[in-house]
Amino acid sequence: MTKKTKINDIRNIGIIAHIDAGKTTVTERILYYTGRSYKIGEVHDGEAVMDWMPDEQERGITITSAVTTCEWKGSQIQIIDTPGHVDFTIEVERSLRVLDGAIGVFCAVGGVEPQSETVWRQADKYRVPKMAFVNKLDRVGADFEGTVDMMKTKLHARPLVVQLPVGAEDQFEGVIDLIDRQMIVWDEDTLGASFETVDIAAELVPAAEKAREQMIEAVAETDDEIMEAYLADAPIETDQLVAAIRRATIELKLVPVLCGSALRNKGVQPLLDAIVRFLPSPVDIPPIKGTHPETGDIITCKASSSQPLAALIFKVSMIEGRKLSFLRIYSGRLKAGEDVFNPALGIKEKVSRILRMHANKRERVDTVEAGSIVGVVGLKRSSTGETLCSPAHPVLLERIEFYEPVISVAVEPKTHSDQEKLEQVLEKFVSEDPTLRVSTDEDTGQMILSGMGELHLEVIISRMLREFNTQVNVGKPQVVHRESIEIEAEADSVFDREIAGQRQYGEVRIRLVPLERGAGIRFRSEVSDDILPPLFLPAVEKGVRESMESGTLMGYPVVDVEAVLTGGAVKDTLGTELAYTVSASMACKAALSEGKPYLLDPIMDVEVFVTEEFMGDVIGDLNARNGKIEAIDSQKGLQVIRAVVPLARMFGYSTALRSATQGRGTFTMQFSRFDRIG
């Protein structure tokens, strides 16, 4: 990979899907056929290259997004294999933020599953062009057409079928390429590395021609040139058709659909061809925009190496105790050993080494240019979501949004030596994972670890022991609540004290008004400038917001409340910002106590997949957990129960569901909102 790749030949893609749809298996095949791996690693054997962490190999799931680079027919493909489990959604979110294209992998049996919908919506949010690969066509119950229909109904996508499967289940042989009008059949003896392209079998020609006609019709609706040729019955050249599909894919009008069975080594080479043919290079998508950190002017960062440097840190990993930062270079070039500027912190950092990543193996390079995704060593203070740029041309790229944690456990070191290590280890994990929070409970002095779900925290605790040999006792999981108030309440407060020889005075009156769910915290003033000078309003607002960080009931953050400044007083020359901040905070706390405070619980969206025979038991159990059933759908012999349930009642649910359904039931759960129960 030392030779220089033109930016037009780079493809930055992510593989996204529901847990167990075969994302990692597809990636392993891509690495094998592009010559990156000399053998195929299997997830079920715990040998997948991309699942290199011991926890991933043991559980057979992807936890962190791994980055790798490979080459195919002159193009450089940089792949991020993302997790499918909802607890690790942030890994998908931050990967999609820096990718130019994505491949949605769908299981031909399960179709479009809940987590597929979540990641697809995340990709839509970042306007990422997508392709779909319908996997596992060799499995009993595989239904290619059903999966394509589900893409329309559940994802509101416009799938464009460019391949048809030949045979199904154990008779699955290969695929028909509708663009080139050919049939591709793989050789089982060579692990699918060799395949032959033959004429479409006579009995399959009518179905293939009908599907090709439908494909051209769909492309014609998005492309005038194809429409003219189609209406005039003129022949449509392959290159012309490919160019039109590429344009429609990049403009998010169509989603090309391919098919195969990655585990049986069928369908991967045409998928690689399609990545190069249809997904965008860094120059095909609109250039990213940033702002000047001082003036706030909009700056466009063009995907060109001749432009000033603009790079985003999308992930930080601690590997063998070293901090490795993953960057997407949007414009300019980065050299090892040079200084870069972090405008968010206002500091310079030195990039000591640049590494081209291949899962957990890496290759040193001296210079990287626009379009690259690389790891760098040497950054001391910069963290996830921050921008690196050239000191002479500062630019601030939009930060990545992070989710709030919903579940906490108390951790305490087992021995004195663990005590010393624990804080350092947790600091490393927090810098690596922005959805992980560490705090100390003021009442008990316990260290509290908060995350996105039981599995998330389980993996962190397992990694503490494995990677850092730190042993901890773990308390029962605690739910992270929010607080709000039921009724309007008003209170005033006077702060009048001498501090360091100076008298400080501030007097305010605050009214708190309950708001609708999800409204957050608002602040406004109803006092005129002659009662309280505008100069003190920011200090009052600061005091209000600080007091809302911990409520009066159980110390949880307060939400859905408006604070209105209704009165105040100022004494000549004695008013100070500190006095008004403290006074506002005290008034706010007093009003919170008077406003009939109550707790809000985290409510989860839960989807349970069970067969008909166990439905009654599962619904009864959800009702007993204070859940509300919202819908029941049937899907390929399974019943899908959608419900909202308080998180506090969902602990240990996976075990309860397994025993109630003889191990056949599965479920997914994700945070919905904070709400009052009962």
Side-chain angles (χ1 to χ4, degrees):
M1 205 83 57
T2 46
K3 74 178 193 331
K4 194 172 165 188
T5 308
K6 285 199 209 125
I7 194 162
N8 299 40
D9 293 329
I10 293 175
R11 299 289 180 274
N12 289 319
I13 61 159
I15 299 194
I16 59 172
H18 186 85
I19 192 166
D20 216 21
K23 295 178 304 306
T24 302
T25 306
V26 169
T27 314
E28 291 299 320
R29 278 12 180 216
I30 287 174
L31 297 181
Y32 180 69
Y33 298 130
T34 56
R36 250 304 177 184
S37 298
Y38 66 91
K39 70 168 194 155
I40 295 177
E42 298 295 9
V43 176
H44 50 261
D45 296 336
E47 288 182 356
V49 175
M50 301 299 271
D51 286 352
W52 54 271
M53 281 169 57
D55 278 287
E56 294 179 309
Q57 292 168 353
E58 253 180 36
R59 297 166 200 267
I61 61 168
T62 303
I63 291 168
T64 63
S65 17
V67 180
T68 194
T69 313
C70 56
E71 277 195 1
W72 182 254
K73 297 184 179 174
S75 288
Q76 180 177 302
I77 302 174
Q78 302 182 120
I79 305 169
I80 299 183
D81 172 30
T82 63
H85 196 286
V86 67
D87 283 13
F88 308 104
T89 299
I90 186 62
E91 287 284 342
V92 185
E93 182 96 14
R94 58 185 176 184
S95 303
L96 286 170
R97 168 76 161 77
V98 296
L99 292 171
D100 303 328
I103 300 166
V105 177
F106 299 100
C107 166
V109 182
V112 177
E113 294 165 291
Q115 188 61 14
S116 314
E117 291 181 58
T118 306
V119 292
W120 197 270
R121 280 197 299 272
Q122 286 173 305
D124 281 341
K125 177 168 116 182
Y126 291 115
R127 296 193 59 74
V128 176
K130 296 172 282 295
M131 283 181 3
F133 182 71
V134 179
N135 191 24
K136 302 193 179 184
L137 279 165
D138 58 314
R139 291 267 296 273
V140 175
D143 181 357
F144 175 70
E145 283 168 20
T147 304
V148 173
D149 286 341
M150 285 171 81
M151 285 178 68
K152 292 177 194 163
T153 54
K154 288 198 159 188
L155 304 176
H156 308 296
R158 286 200 61 197
L160 179 76
V161 175
V162 295
Q163 286 183 350
L164 288 181
V166 178
E169 300 182 352
D170 57 351
Q171 302 296 307
F172 175 65
E173 289 175 40
V175 301
I176 292 171
D177 181 336
L178 299 176
I179 297 173
D180 294 322
R181 284 187 163 119
Q182 291 172 326
M183 192 158 110
I184 306 169
V185 184
W186 277 267
D187 177 4
E188 300 257 349
D189 298 334
T190 61
L191 285 175
S194 65
F195 55 92
E196 54 179 336
T197 305
V198 296
D199 290 336
I200 300 171
E203 69 274 14
L204 301 174
V205 169
E209 284 304 315
K210 184 184 171 197
R212 190 173 198 272
E213 187 79 5
Q214 288 170 341
M215 175 184 76
I216 291 171
E217 265 178 44
V219 176
E221 284 176 33
T222 69
D223 195 278
D224 295 342
E225 197 185 308
I226 301 286
M227 179 64 88
E228 281 172 31
Y230 178 67
L231 293 174
D233 259 349
I236 295 168
E237 299 297 324
T238 300
D239 291 351
Q240 198 184 358
L241 188 56
V242 167
I245 295 173
R246 180 180 177 79
R247 281 193 295 274
T249 306
I250 292 170
E251 288 165 14
L252 306 183
K253 290 177 181 169
L254 294 173
V255 177
V257 180
L258 293 92
C259 57
S261 164
L263 193 63
R264 299 277 165 268
N265 312 307
K266 292 174 182 171
V268 178
Q269 295 95 334
L271 176 64
L272 281 160
D273 289 339
I275 290 169
V276 175
R277 272 176 152 183
F278 304 135
L279 288 178
S281 75
V283 291
D284 294 324
I285 53 169
I288 194 166
K289 289 185 165 55
T291 53
H292 192 286
E294 283 156 22
T295 63
D297 295 342
I298 301 290
I299 298 171
T300 302
C301 305
K302 288 195 181 133
S304 158
S305 301
S306 58
Q307 296 282 313
L309 174 70
L312 185 79
I313 304 172
F314 67 94
K315 179 179 161 71
V316 172
S317 269
M318 291 292 171
I319 296 176
E320 293 158 10
R322 272 219 165 111
K323 181 174 174 179
L324 179 66
S325 306
F326 290 86
L327 304 186
R328 162 71 197 260
I329 317 273
Y330 284 104
S331 66
R333 53 161 59 94
L334 182 66
K335 286 195 180 90
E338 76 176 357
D339 284 345
V340 288
F341 181 61
N342 178 333
L345 302 177
I347 58 164
K348 277 188 184 176
E349 293 258 46
K350 188 178 276 301
V351 173
S352 57
R353 276 189 291 170
I354 302 174
L355 305 166
R356 180 89 59 203
M357 302 306 296
H358 174 50
N360 66 331
K361 298 184 177 66
R362 33 209 177 272
E363 163 196 351
R364 281 179 76 158
V365 288
D366 293 329
T367 310
V368 281
E369 307 200 341
S372 300
I373 292 178
V374 290
V376 301
V377 178
L379 303 180
K380 290 190 168 61
R381 288 175 55 198
S382 300
S383 63
T384 304
E386 289 172 356
T387 307
L388 297 179
C389 56
S390 85
H393 300 91
V395 61
L396 199 53
L397 301 176
E398 188 189 346
R399 289 189 75 108
I400 301 171
E401 288 174 27
F402 298 125
Y403 298 93
E404 287 298 311
V406 293
I407 183 170
S408 300
V409 291
V411 290
E412 57 182 41
K414 279 195 174 169
T415 67
H416 185 66
S417 63
D418 291 329
Q419 167 80 53
E420 291 165 7
K421 282 193 284 185
L422 182 60
E423 285 182 23
Q424 296 169 345
V425 170
L426 287 175
E427 199 179 302
K428 285 177 177 164
F429 283 138
V430 170
S431 69
E432 203 176 282
D433 183 348
T435 56
L436 193 68
R437 304 280 160 84
V438 177
S439 59
T440 305
D441 186 313
E442 288 177 12
D443 299 332
T444 62
Q446 279 182 310
M447 192 174 279
I448 306 293
L449 195 60
S450 307
M452 299 301 295
E454 282 182 278
L455 179 62
H456 185 197
L457 295 179
E458 232 176 75
V459 167
I460 292 292
I461 285 152
S462 161
R463 285 183 63 198
M464 273 185 206
L465 183 58
R466 274 180 207 245
E467 293 173 33
F468 300 98
N469 199 19
T470 306
Q471 301 210 24
V472 290
N473 293 321
V474 181
K476 192 167 172 280
Q478 295 292 315
V479 175
V480 179
H481 296 274
R482 294 288 182 268
E483 295 185 19
S484 196
I485 55 169
E486 244 179 78
I487 56 169
E488 284 191 26
E490 199 161 3
D492 52 20
S493 171
V494 178
F495 182 84
D496 186 358
R497 197 172 296 172
E498 194 171 295
I499 298 173
Q502 185 192 351
R503 190 168 160 213
Q504 312 222 19
Y505 183 87
E507 182 180 340
V508 294
R509 185 166 187 79
I510 302 271
R511 182 172 77 249
L512 298 183
V513 182
L515 296 174
E516 70 281 1
R517 282 290 147 266
I521 297 292
R522 292 185 202 151
F523 172 78
R524 66 186 171 87
S525 170
E526 284 182 354
V527 301
S528 57
D529 296 355
D530 53 338
I531 293 176
L532 196 67
L535 144 84
F536 293 124
L537 283 183
V540 172
E541 182 172 358
K542 183 183 173 208
V544 165
R545 290 191 180 276
E546 281 177 1
S547 71
M548 298 284 190
E549 284 171 12
S550 65
T552 54
L553 205 57
M554 290 178 73
Y556 291 112
V558 178
V559 292
D560 306 337
V561 172
E562 181 177 53
V564 185
L565 179 63
T566 56
V570 66
K571 284 191 178 173
D572 291 342
T573 71
L574 298 180
T576 64
E577 289 187 8
L578 171 68
Y580 281 101
T581 299
V582 175
S583 178
S585 180
M586 285 157 54
C588 218
K589 283 276 189 249
L592 280 172
S593 301
E594 296 298 315
K596 289 198 176 169
Y598 60 88
L599 283 182
L600 292 169
D601 282 73
I603 306 293
M604 311 302 280
D605 279 329
V606 179
E607 288 196 323
V608 189
F609 299 79
V610 288
T611 49
E612 183 87 47
E613 60 196 291
F614 301 115
M615 220 168 82
D617 292 346
V618 170
I619 290 174
D621 182 50
L622 286 171
N623 286 333
R625 291 171 189 270
N626 223 342
K628 250 185 21 214
I629 310 295
E630 296 199 319
I632 298 172
D633 301 326
S634 76
Q635 181 184 308
K636 294 194 184 119
L638 280 179
Q639 300 297 320
V640 184
I641 303 163
R642 291 187 173 81
V644 287
V645 191
L647 174 65
R649 306 299 300 273
M650 288 300 287
F651 290 135
Y653 183 63
S654 50
T655 313
L657 181 66
R658 273 201 293 270
S659 56
T661 60
Q662 296 171 11
R664 288 184 221 161
T666 58
F667 80 105
T668 67
M669 173 171 85
Q670 61 197 54
F671 175 70
S672 167
R673 62 188 186 276
F674 282 100
D675 212 339
R676 195 171 187 180
I677 300 176

